[in-house]
Amino acid sequence: MNIESTVDTAAQNIKIAYAEKLRPDETPEIAFQAYEKFEGSRTDRNEQKSLFFAGEVRNPALDYPYLDEDSLHAGIAVLDRIMHESQEVYADDQDVAEAVYNTIAYRMAEMYMLLEAKRMNDFASDPSFDDFRLSAERYQRANEELYGVPDVALADKVLGEIIGQARSKDLHPATQKLLDEVINGFDTEVAGETIHVDGMGEPSGERLPSDVSERVAVLAEILEEDTADVKQSIQQYWDTVIVPRDGADEFTVTDMAAVFTATHELRDPTNASRINIIIKDGATQLSWDTPSMSIQVGSERASIKSVDEMYAKVKHEYVKHAGGAVHGLATELPILGTGVYSDFDEGESADYLTFEEGIAVLCELAGDEGFQKWEPLHVSRYLAAVTAYKGMDFRQSFEMNWRARVLMVAKSGEEPTPAMIEKEQKQAYLSVLRLNRGTPTALSGGPVLTFNKDLAYLTGKMKALDFLEAAGEDKDLIRLALKTKIDPTNHRQLELAKKYGATV
């Protein structure tokens, strides 16, 4: 008997058994999403939104019924157990041991942050108490350690892009007034109160990159090579199902679910990956959810107007988010499919998420028409964070945000219409809501309290653009980035992906 071989086999079996625990269908906590705990009563949220838009309250008051201490403590206990097991299981590979440990520890840290959010909101009924102040400081510190803070240089480029776009047009007097307000500040009346909003000031003149189409060209080639059949399937659905239909030519929620189902059947006809396509009641978003391994189409999601737009969403949600989970989970190291957090060197990042969100959006932009210009949806959430860090409360951030959005969408010489303003106000509200979720949003004049996870969308685009420029014609490297949940600009994460079976 070869004792050494027997020991090696036993160790490998232990790793295989442990790897099952790293799958989200076995341990959902491994792919924990903090934002889900910030959801609330749809009825209450809609009522607060209505009061806000009617000007009856300065700020909306959000409820957080899912911030449950018992469930968070239970999740922490589960993760703590498998986190410590990892050190023994991967004792012969310190790089993997550290990556698994750090990945699990990150999810635990999110849960601890949520416990602080619960305490902070409980104390918020009297924000003058030291208990609230101390809890708020702990929450914000944890939030910033997990998700970062707005970058000063990028914030300047965002403002430069907004103002640069506005000044490139012949502004109608009403639009010029909005530009003056964004730069110099303004007063607004809400619920019998005069609210002053400080201006953003003049930017340095730097703007967001204009060479996006050039930098995503190779990515566009890869997507065309790898998903031509998917695009053809979407076009066929449009021609055979939607065009003959009486009524508007658009993809409804039901159509979106059908398109994602057809896409999945092309890629995984036996559903070996166990992915689900579901319509989520009451939701407004189209998203990938790793814990449940599902594409979720919100029942209240707005319709999609064209084949190109539908294809863009499939590339974002299925090709990158779902594809990264499926391919990564199929490797010998399942955290490649749930998202890697690791040690990092100077100039690198610890998390996979920022890059993932950035490259997913670039997959959308790498389309037939190419990148035209930066749109409000690309900068609105970052602007919400920047204004919050300038000391603006929910109402003040909202007022600044919708004005900036109108400056970007108004055409040369065009007077902003009530319908245009209403549309941008609704979107601005969502951006500010996302940035402030989890915090006592009704407060004004209090400490800076934010949920900074959405910084990843714009920061990630910048990171992914730099990655694509550096990758050049290396399609294997770009495909590897698409098929795993890593940040390939972190050399430790890239080496793990190459070593543990993440083939292209």
Side-chain angles (χ1 to χ4, degrees):
M1 176 184 294
N2 188 326
I3 296 177
E4 184 176 335
S5 176
T6 301
V7 171
D8 289 345
T9 300
Q12 186 61 26
N13 288 338
I14 290 172
K15 287 182 179 179
I16 292 171
Y18 179 79
E20 285 298 306
K21 297 180 182 181
L22 299 179
R23 293 184 55 89
D25 47 1
E26 177 70 23
T27 308
E29 294 85 355
I30 200 72
F32 180 74
Q33 300 297 320
Y35 68 86
E36 293 180 352
K37 296 297 183 181
F38 293 151
E39 294 180 357
S41 162
R42 183 182 176 193
T43 300
D44 290 346
R45 295 283 174 96
N46 285 339
E47 180 181 355
Q48 288 296 314
K49 182 179 179 180
S50 296
L51 291 171
F52 179 86
F53 275 102
E56 296 181 31
V57 297
R58 175 168 178 154
N59 296 321
L62 302 188
D63 62 327
Y64 304 111
Y66 301 111
L67 281 177
D68 175 67
E69 292 184 358
D70 289 342
S71 66
L72 288 169
H73 281 299
I76 290 169
V78 169
L79 291 176
D80 185 63
R81 184 171 62 253
I82 65 172
M83 181 177 70
H84 286 93
E85 287 178 18
S86 68
Q87 302 308 287
E88 183 176 348
V89 172
Y90 296 113
D92 62 340
D93 194 330
Q94 193 59 35
D95 290 339
V96 173
E98 288 182 1
V100 173
Y101 188 96
N102 289 336
T103 296
I104 299 172
Y106 187 94
R107 298 303 189 193
M108 290 175 64
E110 288 187 299
M111 293 180 182
Y112 280 117
M113 180 198 70
L114 293 180
L115 287 171
E116 198 60 68
K118 175 69 167 62
R119 286 189 286 268
M120 175 179 65
N121 280 281
D122 288 345
F123 292 140
S125 57
D126 191 346
S128 64
F129 273 17
D130 284 345
D131 285 344
F132 171 75
R133 179 180 59 81
L134 292 172
S135 183
E137 288 176 359
R138 288 193 295 265
Y139 166 81
Q140 191 65 14
R141 183 166 58 250
N143 161 67
E144 292 176 352
E145 288 174 352
L146 286 165
Y147 308 120
V149 298
D151 177 77
V152 174
L154 184 55
D156 180 69
K157 290 178 182 178
V158 167
L159 183 60
E161 187 65 31
I162 295 166
I163 292 176
Q165 285 194 23
R167 286 179 170 160
S168 70
K169 296 176 280 193
D170 179 17
L171 296 181
H172 184 276
T175 315
Q176 180 64 54
K177 180 175 182 293
L178 294 179
L179 176 59
D180 293 340
E181 290 176 340
V182 166
I183 295 172
N184 302 313
F186 54 92
D187 291 335
T188 186
E189 299 288 329
V190 178
E193 176 186 6
T194 299
I195 299 173
H196 179 72
V197 181
D198 287 335
M200 300 298 290
E202 286 281 359
S204 68
E206 290 285 324
R207 294 177 62 170
L208 296 174
S210 60
D211 60 345
V212 175
S213 291
E214 291 85 347
R215 292 206 230 175
V216 302
V218 178
L219 174 63
E221 290 178 11
I222 290 170
L223 292 168
E224 178 64 27
E225 292 166 2
D226 295 352
T227 66
D229 58 334
V230 172
K231 186 175 183 181
Q232 183 179 5
S233 173
I234 297 170
Q235 183 67 58
Q236 183 178 12
Y237 187 93
W238 176 269
D239 293 338
T240 60
V241 177
I242 294 179
V243 172
R245 180 189 297 159
D246 290 333
D249 289 350
E250 59 188 24
F251 291 92
T252 66
V253 167
T254 303
D255 295 323
M256 294 177 216
V259 166
F260 277 106
T261 298
T263 300
H264 185 50
E265 288 174 351
L266 281 173
R267 289 292 174 269
D268 186 5
T270 64
N271 196 23
S273 57
R274 293 172 285 186
I275 284 179
N276 296 307
I277 314 295
I278 65 173
I279 295 176
K280 187 175 181 180
D281 186 46
T284 60
Q285 301 296 316
L286 171 61
S287 61
W288 164 256
D289 183 65
T290 300
S292 62
M293 291 289 285
S294 63
I295 297 283
Q296 299 184 349
V297 185
S299 64
E300 305 300 316
R301 210 270 184 202
S303 60
I304 289 177
K305 306 297 185 182
S306 69
V307 169
D308 285 343
E309 184 184 357
M310 187 71 244
Y311 179 46
K313 296 303 179 185
V314 170
K315 287 186 290 184
H316 182 135
E317 303 297 347
Y318 190 91
V319 176
K320 178 59 190 106
H321 287 318
V326 171
H327 290 284
L329 286 168
T331 69
E332 298 174 25
L333 188 61
I335 59 169
L336 293 172
T338 57
V340 177
Y341 297 87
S342 69
D343 287 337
F344 58 98
D345 292 342
E346 186 176 353
E348 297 179 342
S349 300
D351 70 292
Y352 81 95
L353 180 67
T354 301
F355 177 85
E356 166 133 328
E357 294 297 353
I359 196 74
V361 174
L362 295 186
C363 286
E364 288 193 50
L365 299 180
D368 291 340
E369 297 181 1
F371 176 81
Q372 303 300 314
K373 68 172 184 174
W374 293 99
E375 302 287 351
L377 64 91
H378 299 135
V379 302
S380 186
R381 297 176 188 177
Y382 208 86
L383 179 62
V386 172
T387 52
Y389 275 83
K390 286 176 68 70
M392 297 188 194
D393 67 8
F394 193 106
R395 171 66 69 172
Q396 292 167 317
S397 289
F398 162 80
E399 294 290 344
M400 183 61 71
N401 205 290
W402 74 256
R403 284 168 169 80
R405 293 182 67 101
V406 170
L407 288 177
M408 296 181 76
V409 300
K411 297 177 182 177
S412 186
E414 180 182 25
E415 179 180 10
T417 64
M420 178 193 299
I421 291 173
E422 180 182 5
K423 178 182 177 182
E424 299 312 319
Q425 285 180 335
K426 288 180 178 178
Q427 294 303 315
Y429 182 87
L430 290 176
S431 293
V432 176
L433 182 74
R434 288 178 64 98
L435 191 278
N436 286 274
R437 54 189 164 166
T439 74
T441 54
L443 294 182
S444 61
V448 172
L449 293 171
T450 55
F451 179 57
N452 287 352
K453 192 168 187 177
D454 277 6
L455 293 176
Y457 289 97
L458 185 59
T459 304
K461 292 184 191 72
M462 300 302 107
K463 179 185 281 286
L465 284 171
D466 289 344
F467 163 75
L468 291 174
E469 185 174 33
E473 299 288 334
D474 190 345
K475 291 186 177 181
D476 284 347
L477 176 59
I478 297 172
R479 283 190 169 97
L480 183 63
L482 292 175
K483 292 188 175 184
T484 53
K485 290 183 179 293
I486 63 166
D487 179 348
T489 68
N490 180 311
H491 76 278
R492 289 178 176 84
Q493 295 186 24
L494 182 59
E495 288 164 7
L496 285 174
K498 289 179 176 179
K499 182 177 179 179
Y500 285 90
T503 59
V504 296

